[in-house]
Amino acid sequence: MGHDHSIEKRRYALSARIAFLAGTIFLFAALFILTAVGVGDATHLIADGFVSLVSWKISSNVEQNHDQEAVIRRRGAYVQATLLVVAAAIIVVETYLHEHEPRSALQMMALGAASTMVALWRFSIVHPEWRRSITGKGEVWHVAIDLGTSVTVAIAGFLLWYFAIPAIDRWAGYAVAAIAVLGAAHLVWTAKQESATERRP
């Protein structure tokens, strides 16, 4: 059992490192090409790094307190959901304040493709934890949402290039925030369902 927790922690730690490094690089790139949805995606990726650290901490606490595992993981899920909502709020603010038109739709597509590759990499690392615990579900859900937002950046770039409508970039930014909130709601619902199951005789 301890070995499983050790593997789980390593996965979350690696996911966090990748998120922080790539998110910082993508944020500077998004600010350079002036894309609201790109800034939103990068901001969410950095926030995801903190979520991965929370997942790592939850796993560490479980390793030290096996008898309290259900409670620790459930409370951790609420923290994960809260961080998702915070990320959504930051994305909304950034998108609202970011009124500039992107310099290049092609650059947006390139940024979206690059961030999608990073999201796929992180997904491949953490997805084995999905069936093992609610902590794993929360981590995989966060990474899956990041994958979706990265794809959204690429799609927004394509639509901007094809239709030449700058507002598409801002609409996509708000869509990214909405997806993050939905992910938080799903995580809270899952935690409550598991709590209800535990109380049944």
Side-chain angles (χ1 to χ4, degrees):
M1 192 69 171
H3 179 67
D4 288 342
H5 289 310
S6 177
I7 294 173
E8 181 183 12
K9 288 193 300 182
R10 285 202 298 271
R11 284 175 175 147
Y12 298 151
L14 180 56
S15 177
R17 287 195 292 269
I18 294 171
F20 285 135
L21 178 60
T24 300
I25 294 172
F26 293 154
L27 180 59
F28 280 109
L31 290 171
F32 176 75
I33 66 178
L34 302 175
T35 165
V37 68
V39 170
D41 183 35
T43 301
H44 180 242
L45 181 54
I46 293 172
D48 249 16
F50 287 103
V51 173
S52 293
L53 285 182
V54 169
S55 299
W56 175 87
K57 180 60 176 176
I58 293 169
S59 182
S60 295
N61 289 346
V62 167
E63 189 174 32
Q64 297 169 8
N65 303 278
H66 292 292
D67 56 329
Q68 295 294 315
E69 179 170 1
V71 174
I72 292 171
R73 290 193 184 278
R74 187 166 59 250
R75 290 176 178 172
Y78 294 136
V79 175
Q80 290 173 308
T82 299
L83 287 175
L84 257 182
V85 173
V86 170
I90 293 173
I91 291 169
V92 168
V93 172
E94 287 289 341
T95 301
Y96 179 76
L97 296 176
H98 206 285
E99 296 295 332
H100 304 290
E101 295 182 14
R103 293 179 181 176
S104 169
L106 293 178
Q107 288 177 329
M108 281 181 65
M109 285 189 276
L111 177 62
S115 58
T116 296
M117 291 299 101
V118 170
L120 285 171
W121 183 16
R122 293 180 65 222
F123 188 84
S124 70
I125 292 169
V126 302
H127 87 274
E129 299 300 329
W130 174 266
R131 295 182 179 277
R132 296 179 181 174
S133 69
I134 190 173
T135 307
K137 285 184 174 68
E139 180 70 13
V140 173
W141 185 249
H142 278 260
V143 177
I145 290 173
D146 192 59
L147 175 59
T149 57
S150 298
V151 172
T152 299
V153 175
I155 292 175
F158 173 78
L159 294 176
L160 179 63
W161 168 74
Y162 193 80
F163 293 106
I165 304 175
I168 286 177
D169 184 44
R170 291 193 297 277
W171 296 341
Y174 292 129
V176 166
I179 292 171
V181 172
L182 288 174
H186 178 270
L187 198 52
V188 169
W189 179 83
T190 301
K192 288 187 176 298
Q193 287 293 107
E194 292 201 2
S195 179
T197 300
E198 290 167 11
R199 289 197 298 268
R200 288 173 190 159

